[in-house]
Amino acid sequence: EQPIFFVTEDLKSGALRRYTPPMTIPGTAAGWDALHAEGGTTEFLVFLEDNSFVWSCDEWLGRYSQEKYFPNVEGIVFREGLLYFVSKRTSKLYVLDLDNGTYTASSTKDYSLYSGEFKNRPDQLATNDGEFLYFTEEGGQTPGVYAIDAEGQSYAIFEAYDSKYFNDETTGLAFSPDGTKMYACFQDCGCEVSGDIDCGCLFVFWRTDGRSFDGATLGLKFH
């Protein structure tokens, strides 16, 4: 199956692009070296006025569209025919239906959270094996990690309240292979190990019931 790669550009007039490498020899699997093969195609996302979109080879159109509709894109995830990405400047989550060529948008500031608040810039996106979409946050007094499920219910997974985390950024979000541990970083916080003001720190989280972060009882208790 031919791989397709999606790349974001965190600039106001950046360009979200889709790269399709050249076809592989039948019967062989495409590896990471496909990114370096000659003959691939780069296309740029262009929003239209009727909540539809196209992929264009015109980079200028892609940059114009991003500046107008979704500036400063960073986090991006593909799942089951849908492409999710966030704009830090508009604080919106965009969902592209790649089969139908349509998209929807929702404000991350409007999420009615299980607890906590998600009022600053969305940054990274991540998924585990279940139906939860996880967000990291850039800035504010309580940077954290948040999630929404397939029904649109939203959750605050963790938030930082100490003053050393003010205006920090959560990043590096990842999960263990069995989904029972979540890893996340604060990018600039004061670190107890080195004592540096902005060395950053890595945290490991797990559920007290031992289940996966995409388990049926998400939102009960976490360490």
Side-chain angles (χ1 to χ4, degrees):
E1 191 171 318
Q2 191 69 6
I4 297 176
F5 301 89
F6 297 96
V7 182
T8 61
E9 187 175 4
D10 184 10
L11 292 172
K12 182 179 179 181
S13 58
L16 194 158
R17 60 204 70 196
R18 176 179 73 175
Y19 176 71
T20 306
M23 292 295 295
T24 58
I25 300 173
T28 63
W32 285 107
D33 56 349
L35 289 169
H36 305 283
E38 296 183 0
T41 301
T42 299
E43 299 166 288
F44 304 91
L45 178 63
V46 177
F47 274 8
L48 305 178
E49 296 291 345
D50 58 352
N51 280 69
S52 63
F53 68 89
V54 295
W55 295 99
S56 171
C57 292
D58 188 329
E59 183 175 347
W60 182 88
L61 279 179
R63 293 188 179 279
Y64 174 81
S65 184
Q66 176 159 320
E67 182 172 7
K68 182 177 180 180
Y69 294 103
F70 47 93
N72 294 90
V73 173
E74 190 157 345
I76 189 167
V77 165
F78 171 80
R79 187 182 184 91
E80 298 180 352
L82 301 177
L83 188 69
Y84 302 81
F85 65 89
V86 289
S87 164
K88 295 194 295 186
R89 187 175 289 264
T90 65
S91 295
K92 287 185 178 180
L93 169 69
Y94 300 87
V95 184
L96 307 187
D97 185 325
L98 297 180
D99 294 328
N100 294 320
T102 58
Y103 73 90
T104 59
S106 60
S107 173
T108 58
K109 293 184 178 181
D110 292 339
Y111 292 158
S112 176
L113 291 169
Y114 176 83
S115 60
E117 61 178 30
F118 185 15
K119 298 299 183 184
N120 287 281
R121 297 179 294 275
D123 197 353
Q124 182 186 352
L125 292 178
T127 58
N128 200 2
D129 289 332
E131 296 184 346
F132 290 86
L133 180 66
Y134 292 87
F135 301 76
T136 64
E137 184 180 23
E138 178 182 328
Q141 294 190 348
T142 58
V145 168
Y146 308 87
I148 57 173
D149 61 22
E151 285 72 42
Q153 176 65 50
S154 46
Y155 306 83
I157 307 303
F158 75 84
E159 293 178 313
Y161 288 92
D162 193 284
S163 60
K164 69 181 179 181
Y165 300 108
F166 288 1
N167 296 314
D168 207 334
E169 177 179 349
T170 46
T171 186
L173 184 62
F175 298 90
S176 62
D178 63 1
T180 61
K181 288 185 171 59
M182 180 178 72
Y183 307 91
C185 301
F186 286 102
Q187 187 163 282
D188 300 317
C189 74
C191 181
E192 295 180 2
V193 176
S194 69
D196 292 340
I197 296 176
D198 59 355
C199 72
C201 43
L202 170 66
F203 291 88
V204 182
F205 300 86
W206 62 92
R207 291 175 51 152
T208 56
D209 61 9
R211 296 192 180 192
S212 165
F213 273 85
D214 279 329
T217 56
L218 178 71
L220 291 179
K221 293 181 180 179
F222 297 87
H223 263 329

